[in-house]
Structure formats: C-alpha cells, structure tokens
Amino acid sequence: MMHENFCSTRPDIKVSLEVYRKVVRNDLNISFAHLGNEECEQCEYFKRHNRLDHQEESCEICQNYNMQHKPRYIESRKEYNKDREKAKTDTEVIYYSVDLQKIIMLPRMDQFKTAIFCPRLIAFNESFVPLGPATKDNKPYAVLWNESVAGRSQEDIISTFKAFLNIKRDQKNIVLWLDNCSAQNKNWSLLCFMVQIVNSTDILAESITLKYFEPGHTFMSADSFHHQVEQSLTKKGKVYDFDDFVECVGNANKRKNIVKVMNVDDFVAYEDLSSQHKLRKNNPRVYLTNIMAVRVERGLFKLKYKFNHADQYKSEPLDFLQVKIMKNEQFPEIQRKTLPRGIAEERKAAIIEKLVPLMPANRKQFWINVPTNETVKNLLEED
C-alpha cells in the first residue's frame, strides 16, 4: 500500500516494489514487520460501544476511554518516539525495549502432523533491543532458555534483566521500554531488584529508568527483532532441538546480535522485598497499574515514579521497601538456583518415542538429556 501510494503521488519516478522496500529499509532505516493479530481489546470494545445511541458526555465508558486510555497510549507512543530519536545521538544514555517472544515449541516440525499433536518443549527468548539502529556497542541481546531449565515466573524474568545489566555493567544511564504485563515486567519483585542492583557494585549505573506502554499499544523494536527471529526459524525449516533454536536466533538481524544461553545457575531465587504495610499506608495508595514510568538511582533506596509520561516525577519518591532493608540500606545476597525445573517424564518419553525418530541421529542426545520433574506442571496448563 505504501508503494502504491508513492507511485500514485510521484508518477514521475518509476520504481519497483523491491527497490522501494530496499530504499525504505536500508537508506531510511525503516524496518518492515507484521504486527500479528494483536489488537487493543479496550479500543475494540469502545468502537463497538460507540455505535450505540447515547450521550457521550455522560457515559462513563466513553469518558474513561477519552480521558484515560486514549491520552495514555498517544503520550506513550510520543515518548517512545522521542527516545528513539535520542538513541541516535545520545552517548550518555542507552535506550532499549524489552519483551518476551511469543511461545515457541520445540521441536518445530509442523510439516508432520505428529509434531503438532505431541506435547513439546517450550523455548523462551527475552529480547533486549536498541531503539535506534544497532551499533558495535549496542546490539540486540537475546536471552534464551527452555522450560526444562526454568519457567517464566517473576524471578525467572528478573534473571534475564540481571544478565542484560551485567553485560552493560559500565553504562551509566539506562532506559528500558516494557509492556504492561504484571507477571513479567510490572511487579514489586522486579522493582525491588532494580533498586538493589543500581545500588550494588555489580554495575556502574547511576540510573535505570523503566517506561511502560499503555496495554494494547505496545509495538516496539523488540517486536521487529522477534519478526526477524521468526523469519530465521522459517528459513531453517525444521528446528529439531534447542541448539537449532539458538542458531536461528543468532542468525536473525543479519547476525548483528548477541545471544546469551541461560544455564541453571544463571537464574536467581529472588524474593519480593517490598512492604505491603507501607504501600497500604500511602495516602493516596500508589498502584502499579497506574504507573507509567519508574526510575531508580544510585544512593536512593526509594522509587521515583509518575503516572503520565508528560509529567515530572513525583516530588516525594515512593518508600516501598521492607523496614529491615531501609534500616541498614543493605539487601540480602541474591541466591542462585541450583536445580533445573525439569519437565514431566511422560512428556519427555512422548517426544523421544514419536518425534526423535523423525530427526537426524545427532539430535537425539539433547532429548535424552532433558531433565525431568514430576512435581512441575506444563506451563501451558498453568496459563
């Protein structure tokens, strides 16, 4: 459609679709990516509601949409675009978006009906992707693991942030854009960890800022990278084991990325150190769902926050940590996990029996070595 519009508005220039794509992608640095099937449920509900004959001024649904949801997603996108421009020239701050790629099932052999109906292994890709063009120092950073090693709980996602911040340990100021998923990106455990690591000797950061999109309007640079990963997986054809998956991610984005494969001891058993008593006593109470940006700073054991990207941070930072933490301004040592999560023996046996015979012989060993644990549930069942 863009190409057709260009040709109709500039009939003096004859250009094919392929040349047009190359110029837009390579010279103008504008990437093409499919947004998938995700749409904003709140916007869709409003569209259907708005067809009704009613007085908009007195309608609570209309007022909530026009006064809250719409301004917030417009302001979020505006702020994101500002940061994307800053990323091109700002040498003092790095700007990344962060997202967990949609579920990937291994082995990926959809050419065979048996593979589609056989319970398989879930692979994860938590991607940290620059807002601006990739450079020598700032490339997409893909953190990979599978469910036999760890799941996708709050502490598992925190572990990926720890891995990313460790490779950026010399960076003084970091801005991360996230979606509003409370289970992964917007919870007190993650914010406790951010205060802890910015006040540690593990990294040199003076500040870490987390900025959130309005739900339903979260398209970001990480989504473009995930599209490239999907293209790499499609090109591979059959992805037999986790090593094949790692290879495909490494080949995405013209191999201009860094891949981190997480081992068991890379995951931490992190506990929530926030004080619900303190949070309840705040008047008015601060709810995470209303927060659009938070900032942690070295030397400060409180949280700077704001409810709108256009606003300034609240004059009084949020005191949310447990008293024992604030008293000594010291966190307990972060404990590493020592045992893999594992999968059910029945699921492993089904893969070996039904799918491994369809693979090259040198892929069998990975599946034989997958750890098992009868006490854990299938992550898809937990969802």
Side-chain angles (χ1 to χ4, degrees), residues 165-204:
L165 293 172
N166 281 341
I167 70 154
K168 295 297 181 183
R169 60 184 181 177
D170 295 327
Q171 188 65 44
K172 292 298 180 66
N173 299 286
I174 301 169
V175 174
L176 302 176
W177 275 91
L178 315 163
D179 65 26
N180 249 280
C181 179
S182 59
Q184 297 168 9
N185 301 325
K186 206 176 191 185
N187 55 74
W188 293 114
S189 293
L190 177 61
L191 299 183
C192 290
F193 168 75
M194 287 297 171
V195 175
Q196 180 170 0
I197 196 166
V198 81
N199 284 288
S200 73
T201 56
D202 294 341
I203 63 175
L204 299 181

Side-chain angles (χ1 to χ4, degrees), residues 21-22 30 93 108 199 226 230 287 296 316 324:
R21 286 179 63 89
K22 287 181 178 179
I30 298 174
V93 185
R108 181 167 164 146
N199 284 288
H226 290 165
E230 183 59 36
Y287 290 97
V296 297
E316 183 61 33
K324 63 181 180 181

